Amino acid sequence: MPGSDATPAPPATRVVVGVTGTPGSRAALRRAADEARRRQAALWAVLAWQPPGGELHARRAPAIPLAGADWENLARTTLVTAVREVFPEGPGVPLRAVLARGTPGRALAESADREDDLLVIGAGHHGLLHRALRTSVSRYCVAHAVCPVLTVPPPPLEADLALAHRRNVWRLRLDTRHFARETGPPAG
């Protein structure tokens, strides 16, 4: 049979998911894999990254030429770690890990550029101040994606964890002076 030893074509449809390594993005990654299995689609895990200060700052002050490569390597490590933590045995569908340099909303909307794609993103709990100061990735994707967008709420414990972290940052100051007094100078 002609073409019988050719590799099978990848699935035509894709489920594209934003990955950041947070508990909310891990929940979105699990849900995206479930959707990919249900649709018999490929799973694209996308992590968007930018140099500190954004692209404009990186173009204006390229003082350290390797800094971009360092940030890209950190993004790659974050993506691989998140995928391995969520799928230690593999996702059960064809998987493509994608690093996209740019803002998260735009990178995700551009990655899911087919009408038959599904874009899955984590929708975190953010306060009014956070919403006022930062653009919402989920709102950007819903407004600009050409495909359906599925927003996945964060795990119930994520909000509790974030609240505990905020309380600890503001209320608990660690005074290390008593550690120095208790241990004393080294015995000579």
Side-chain angles (χ1 to χ4, degrees):
M1 237 176 129
S4 61
D5 31 311
T7 58
T13 59
R14 303 175 301 177
V15 176
V16 178
V17 59
V19 178
T20 61
T22 63
S25 82
R26 285 190 217 110
L29 187 55
R30 279 188 213 81
R31 179 64 188 269
D34 292 342
E35 289 293 326
R37 281 190 289 276
R38 191 174 68 73
R39 297 166 182 254
Q40 297 180 339
L43 177 62
W44 281 33
V46 178
L47 188 141
W49 70 277
Q50 288 183 301
E55 294 296 334
L56 183 60
H57 179 71
R59 282 191 296 257
R60 284 186 179 170
I64 304 171
L66 294 178
D70 292 341
W71 286 103
E72 184 175 358
N73 287 334
L74 180 61
R76 181 177 290 106
T77 300
T78 301
L79 177 58
V80 169
T81 300
V83 168
R84 285 185 179 157
E85 284 177 358
V86 172
F87 308 117
E89 304 295 322
V93 294
L95 171 69
R96 181 173 180 190
V98 179
L99 287 178
R101 185 169 174 166
T103 59
R106 174 177 245 162
L108 291 170
E110 288 177 357
S111 295
D113 60 352
R114 302 180 198 160
E115 289 183 10
D116 62 343
D117 286 343
L118 173 66
L119 177 56
V120 180
I121 52 176
H125 294 295
H126 298 297
L128 291 174
L129 181 62
H130 184 274
R131 281 185 241 151
L133 297 176
R134 299 191 68 188
T135 58
S136 167
V137 173
S138 57
R139 276 187 279 159
Y140 183 94
C141 290
V142 167
H144 294 91
V146 297
C147 65
V149 178
L150 174 63
T151 58
V152 178
L157 293 178
E158 185 179 9
D160 294 339
L161 181 64
L163 179 61
H165 177 71
R166 282 194 303 274
R167 285 183 179 164
N168 287 338
V169 166
W170 292 104
R171 293 186 183 165
L172 298 179
R173 294 187 62 209
L174 182 60
D175 184 2
T176 58
R177 290 178 289 177
H178 72 280
F179 292 124
R181 283 193 301 267
E182 289 177 12
T183 58

